[in-house]
Amino acid sequence: FFVTTTTSMGRRMFQSERNANLLIDVLRGYVAARKFKIQDFVIMPDHIHILLTVADGVSIEKAVQFIKGGFSYRLKKEYGYLGEVCQKGFSEVRVQDDESYTSFRRYIAENPMKAGLVDAPDRYPFSFTYLAKKKQ
């Protein structure tokens, strides 16, 4: 699935390195718990895009609830945040074939460039592409 979810009221909540890294940690935790696999993601200042495959017995709705709820819980517990974190709902599109998969990955990679945040996909620190390159 290609999933997009937005912060409450479009706040630039993920502009903070602390918050973006917390979300990355939440994602890693659920991947380690085998709730889903992540093929790609990008954390923009006010929304996220994730390309993921849910585990058996886990619906896409439950996977997104893990992500949004897990992040919200930790942000409030660890940093005392009191406001709403995520907008209700999310959008998802099922990946149909290799062509749509490639198209979603390109969209994710190019999103920070289109927003004027970086000049190359592998330079945006809150993305799968950047973290994979850094790991090498």
Side-chain angles (χ1 to χ4, degrees), residues 109-125 127 130:
E110 293 174 355
N111 208 242
M113 291 186 339
K114 288 179 183 173
L117 300 172
V118 290
D119 58 4
D122 62 352
R123 293 187 179 185
Y124 190 67
S127 69
Y130 178 89

Side-chain angles (χ1 to χ4, degrees), residues 1-59:
F1 291 93
F2 173 71
V3 174
T4 300
T5 189
T6 306
T7 60
S8 178
M9 298 172 46
R11 286 188 195 93
R12 297 176 68 81
M13 184 161 295
F14 302 125
Q15 185 170 310
S16 153
E17 184 175 338
R18 178 196 78 182
N19 290 353
N21 284 327
L22 179 64
L23 179 55
I24 290 168
D25 193 55
V26 167
L27 293 174
R28 285 180 174 147
Y30 285 116
V31 168
R34 299 181 180 199
K35 300 297 183 186
F36 47 78
K37 293 179 184 176
I38 294 180
Q39 286 76 37
D40 207 344
F41 72 87
V42 65
I43 302 171
M44 300 297 288
D46 63 353
H47 67 280
I48 58 175
H49 298 293
I50 306 172
L51 193 58
L52 61 80
T53 303
V54 294
D56 287 339
V58 177
S59 67

Side-chain angles (χ1 to χ4, degrees), residues 55-100:
D56 287 339
V58 177
S59 67
I60 187 62
E61 293 82 6
K62 189 66 173 173
V64 175
Q65 182 182 4
F66 285 140
I67 295 165
K68 291 168 58 171
F71 175 75
S72 178
Y73 173 79
R74 287 195 51 197
L75 185 66
K76 291 175 181 184
K77 182 179 179 199
E78 295 172 26
Y79 300 110
Y81 186 79
L82 299 175
E84 284 296 315
V85 176
C86 294
Q87 183 176 350
K88 292 185 184 201
F90 64 95
S91 67
E92 102 272 348
V93 179
R94 185 178 290 272
V95 176
Q96 298 295 328
D97 51 29
D98 289 342
E99 186 178 328
S100 67

